[in-house]
Amino acid sequence: MSAEGKSVIVTGASSGIGAATAKRLAEAGAQVMLAARREDRLKELAKEIGPNASWRVTDVTNHNDMLSLGQAAMKHFGKVDVIVNNAGIMPLSPLANRRVEEWDRMIDVNIKGVLYGIDAVLSHMLERKEGHVINVSSVAGLMTNPTSAVYSGTKHAVKAISEGLRKETAGIIRVTTIYPGKVNTELGHSIKDPDVLAGIGDRFNYTGLEGEDIAEAVHFAIASPRNMVLNDIVIRPIEQVL
């Protein structure tokens, strides 16, 4: 099996895991719709990928944007086989530091963005009686550490949403949740809390994975035989303990 001929929406496609996933799937013969807020990055990536790529500036926290993204992909490709809900942010901080705006933003991007992505394609997939929803959570969605209470909460929510979707659509929609450990992406750039920044070197003092490593897992899940589904994929650097 392969991803050849599949039409795939990838959110958070302007960098990191999203960009690597889009390139990997296009190399495998898939058609990819790139979605993110940074138009310049999307144009550059689409040019690099070539004719198998299209793009649309999208804010995953805006429901209408996500509905328009789904409609654009269906119009452009004729169908949507897969959505990779990858967009996410990780502004870690202790709860006592009361960084409420960051909490709200994480809830909007990490939870609502996934829900809006599902909503953008689910009716279409149910009508076609096939489809694949891939949600990128985090190992923080399997446990919680100091400073990650809200981030972990959002990623636990992705786990719960994925499991609910799996049970509601069993036999029709394939649902995969991916739980990456440390990956060398721009995700850490969203951390602004001085207490966290002061100790981040000690906390993450091991070599991270690359976006391409997670992209391989996404491709593997998509390319698996139709009669099976990889529901949960946990990927950590070999040195990572938590």
Side-chain angles (χ1 to χ4, degrees), residues 202-213:
D202 295 329
R203 182 170 174 180
F204 299 104
N205 61 347
Y206 49 85
T207 303
L209 299 172
E210 299 299 332
E212 289 76 11
D213 298 315

Side-chain angles (χ1 to χ4, degrees), residues 110-208:
N110 297 357
I111 301 178
K112 291 182 181 179
V114 169
L115 287 170
Y116 294 165
I118 292 169
D119 188 51
V121 299
L122 185 57
S123 294
H124 170 72
M125 290 180 175
L126 289 173
E127 286 173 7
R128 295 183 63 227
K129 298 189 184 307
E130 66 176 309
H132 195 167
V133 174
I134 299 177
N135 297 326
V136 179
S137 179
S138 165
V139 292
L142 303 173
M143 49 90 184
T144 308
N145 288 314
T147 76
S148 78
V150 180
Y151 179 66
S152 289
T154 65
K155 292 303 186 175
H156 276 78
V158 172
K159 180 179 185 293
I161 291 164
S162 299
E163 183 66 0
L165 179 64
R166 180 186 72 80
K167 291 181 177 179
E168 290 176 12
T169 63
I172 305 172
I173 308 298
R174 301 203 295 170
V175 181
T176 299
T177 312
I178 298 180
Y179 302 89
K182 179 186 175 183
V183 183
N184 298 323
T185 69
E186 297 178 3
L187 187 64
H189 295 181
S190 61
I191 300 173
K192 306 299 182 185
D193 186 279
D195 294 338
V196 177
L197 289 172
I200 201 165
D202 295 329
R203 182 170 174 180
F204 299 104
N205 61 347
Y206 49 85
T207 303

Side-chain angles (χ1 to χ4, degrees), residues 62-80:
N62 184 306
H63 188 216
N64 287 330
D65 264 20
M66 292 299 284
L67 292 178
S68 296
L69 172 66
Q71 289 298 319
M74 292 171 206
K75 182 177 180 180
H76 188 77
F77 300 133
K79 62 187 173 79
V80 174

